[in-house]
Amino acid sequence: MRPVWRVADVRAAEAGLMATLPPGTLMQRAAAGLARRCALLLADRGGVYGARVLLLVGSGDNGGDTLYAGARLAGRGAAVSALLLNPGRAHAGGLAAFRAAGGRLVDRPPAVVDLVLDGIVGIGASGGLRETADQLAASLVRHCGRDGDRASVVAVDVPSGVAVDTGHVPLAASGRPNAVRADVTVTFGALKPALVVGPAAPLAGQVELVDIGLAPWLRGTPALRVTEWSDLVDWWPRLGAASEKYSRGVVGVATGSATYPGAAVLSVGGALAGPTGMVRYAGGARAEVLHQHPSVIATGRVADAGRVQAWVCGSGLGTGEEAAAELRAVLAAPVPVVLDADALTLLVDGSLADRLRKRDAPIVVTPHDREFTRLCGESPGTDRVAATLRLAAWMNAVVLLKGDRTVIGTPDGRAYVNPTGTPALATGGTGDVLAGLLGSLLAAGVPADRAAAMAAYLHGLAGREAARGGPVTAPDVADALRPVLARLGAAVGSAGPGRRDRPGK
């Protein structure tokens, strides 16, 4: 997992590192990495020599990084212009180097621009862009390069205007984001929350981390961690010569009803795609489930389902007394449970709070924003990570807060973010597939926090896979899990031995 650090931690690390280096070394390292990435972008647009580059330069070190990078590009033959938003506070050393390299100062953007560097504000800013900067940010889409295409925008460290520690983006009066939208963000030393979570993350575009030597100086606990493919390869349960259906784990699925049979079919489909060896279904959609998935063992009630190693409960279950009785039966089982959709609605009145508190086995809840609001009495707000962690501590459960960048929080304060989300998943029933897959991972013995991170990651990849064929439906996502998991299986096989089946039956 890749760690993500708050501004205060980054600042402390920078101070420690700079005390060991000659003055200006850190800024030169950052500028060199920034210029290198810009040169790569320009290589795809006719080359660095003769390219038209515009620097939007604010005050402080972020503006200095931008000016030094512009000087390097000018030294390679680019025509580099700098628009200083606060000329009296521009970084003196960077400005001198920029002028010495042949860069020129302008008071308005040139007519032709291949590449824009956003150095308006850095990680120390807050509160969105001021009026002049906001107008510049809004105008970037109108600039075109020598090839006639829109100018590429590179953010320096973070897109200007975003709340760095939370990923929140204020809105302008028109309703658009009051921040720069970048194609690429070149960040220095460490990932920051705004690059990976919240509405700021899509504004960052492709994120490239430049190593400036900061890692040994980053101390304490990261704000959150980003799940990576290599994590899934390490965590996925391995099969062995002695594996059989019970040793692989059995997952119980208490979802759907006569009114919502599709929820049962979809959640069972997600469970079957996972690593367990058997799925037991309990609910009012037995006929539909067996028609679609004949390998499933189906009964009408949780009490009749037989032994399982984890339960999935809620999707399409209903909110009446019969549904509440099934939820109570699931919570009484001494195994991990996934609570989704209607199960979360049944928790809102607090009547099951004692059952939740008395459980020793893990609980994973999977709310979207509206369900989160019903559970908490307030929306996730501007800090989705903090909101997720509050709910996790209050419920003593792992919380998977769905969204474009799904956040996972644990009761002991650890947070993860999923990087594979896609708007294609914003369609009915995809959450049912996710819940089933998550339950399968729990039944296979994967710890709850890892199971949630893995399920979100694979679900996102399946959404992207399904979108390749056109508009996405939930059955498409369930079907797309198989090629995604085939790729994961190949990677797991190449990686060699790992954790084997769970012991016993």
Side-chain angles (χ1 to χ4, degrees):
M1 288 190 152
R2 302 183 75 185
V4 181
W5 298 89
R6 298 177 183 87
V7 171
D9 297 313
V10 173
R11 290 293 198 209
E14 288 176 341
L17 176 57
M18 284 191 291
T20 70
L21 298 171
T25 301
L26 214 57
M27 186 169 286
Q28 290 300 329
R29 290 178 180 177
L34 175 59
R36 180 195 61 81
R37 187 64 179 89
C38 291
L40 290 174
L41 283 171
L42 291 171
D44 294 330
R45 304 191 61 155
V48 178
Y49 190 85
R52 271 59 169 178
V53 178
L54 172 64
L55 315 182
L56 301 180
V57 183
S59 58
D61 289 348
N62 190 259
D65 296 334
T66 307
L67 287 164
Y68 278 119
R72 288 172 179 265
L73 293 172
R76 295 183 59 176
V80 186
S81 303
L83 197 161
L84 306 183
L85 277 76
N86 193 338
R89 297 182 61 194
H91 189 278
L95 185 56
F98 177 71
R99 283 173 161 158
R104 65 190 187 100
L105 302 182
V106 296
D107 56 10
R108 62 176 59 86
V112 177
V113 179
D114 297 304
L115 180 74
V116 179
L117 269 70
D118 160 34
I120 300 172
V121 293
I123 63 174
S126 60
L129 296 174
R130 296 181 180 177
E131 184 177 359
T132 300
D134 181 49
Q135 291 172 354
L136 279 172
S139 73
L140 295 182
V141 295
R142 298 196 293 270
H143 295 299
C144 294
R146 295 166 294 174
D147 54 9
D149 291 339
R150 179 182 61 81
S152 302
V153 179
V154 177
V156 180
D157 214 6
V158 293
S160 294
V162 303
V164 181
D165 275 347
T166 66
H168 174 61
V169 179
L171 298 179
S174 63
R176 60 172 175 76
N178 182 213
V180 170
R181 180 181 296 275
D183 299 297
V184 175
T185 296
V186 178
T187 196
F188 310 125
L191 293 176
K192 290 85 180 176
L195 304 178
V196 299
V197 73
L203 299 183
Q206 181 183 349
V207 177
E208 177 163 331
L209 175 60
V210 173
D211 182 4
I212 57 173
L214 210 59
W217 298 88
L218 288 163
R219 313 269 167 78
T221 303
L224 66 157
R225 296 180 184 274
V226 182
T227 311
E228 297 184 282
W229 177 257
S230 59
D231 297 317
L232 275 67
V233 173
D234 290 341
W235 298 342
W236 191 259
R238 268 65 167 175
L239 298 179
S243 297
E244 38 88 24
K245 61 186 178 184
Y246 294 111
S247 69
R248 293 179 63 185
V250 180
V251 60
V253 181
T255 61
S257 58
T259 305
Y260 301 109
V265 172
L266 291 168
S267 54
V268 168
L272 286 169
T276 50
M278 181 185 290
V279 177
R280 298 186 187 274
Y281 172 76
R286 283 174 294 170
E288 291 85 353
V289 167
L290 289 173
H291 177 72
Q292 294 291 329
H293 307 295
S295 65
V296 172
I297 308 300
T299 60
R301 300 187 308 150
V302 169
D304 300 328
R307 187 173 179 180
V308 301
Q309 279 73 55
W311 275 105
V312 179
C313 182
S315 308
L317 189 67
T319 56
E321 179 50 40
E322 183 178 345
E326 289 296 273
L327 175 57
R328 288 193 292 269
V330 165
L331 292 176
V335 298
V337 300
V338 179
L339 302 181
D340 182 43
D342 288 338
L344 301 179
T345 300
L346 289 166
L347 296 178
V348 170
D349 65 5
S351 61
L352 296 173
D354 285 344
R355 291 178 183 265
L356 292 175
R357 281 194 290 266
K358 291 177 181 177
R359 281 184 54 85
D360 292 324
I363 302 171
V364 183
V365 297
T366 60
H368 53 57
D369 281 23
R370 290 185 299 279
E371 291 164 340
F372 182 100
T373 301
R374 290 199 292 271
L375 284 170
C376 290
E378 60 183 10
S379 72
T382 60
D383 190 341
R384 296 179 68 80
V385 173
T388 302
L389 290 173
R390 283 196 301 271
L391 182 59
W394 178 63
M395 295 188 70
N396 192 32
V398 172
V399 175
L400 185 155
L401 178 59
K402 299 172 188 173
D404 180 65
R405 301 296 175 103
T406 290
V407 178
I408 296 149
T410 69
D412 61 0
R414 288 171 292 123
Y416 313 123
V417 63
N418 177 55
T420 66
T422 167
L425 289 170
T427 186
T430 57
D432 305 342
V433 178
L434 172 65
L437 175 61
L438 175 49
S440 183
L441 287 160
L442 290 173
V446 179
D449 58 335
R450 291 183 176 184
M454 293 173 76
Y457 195 103
L458 293 167
H459 189 244
L461 291 183
R464 296 182 184 190
E465 179 81 17
R468 296 169 63 183
V472 173
T473 65
D476 297 331
V477 176
D479 291 341
L481 280 172
R482 298 197 172 278
V484 168
L485 287 165
R487 295 197 293 272
L488 178 59
V492 169
S494 300
R499 190 182 61 78
R500 295 292 179 180
D501 298 331
R502 57 185 303 134
K505 299 183 180 181

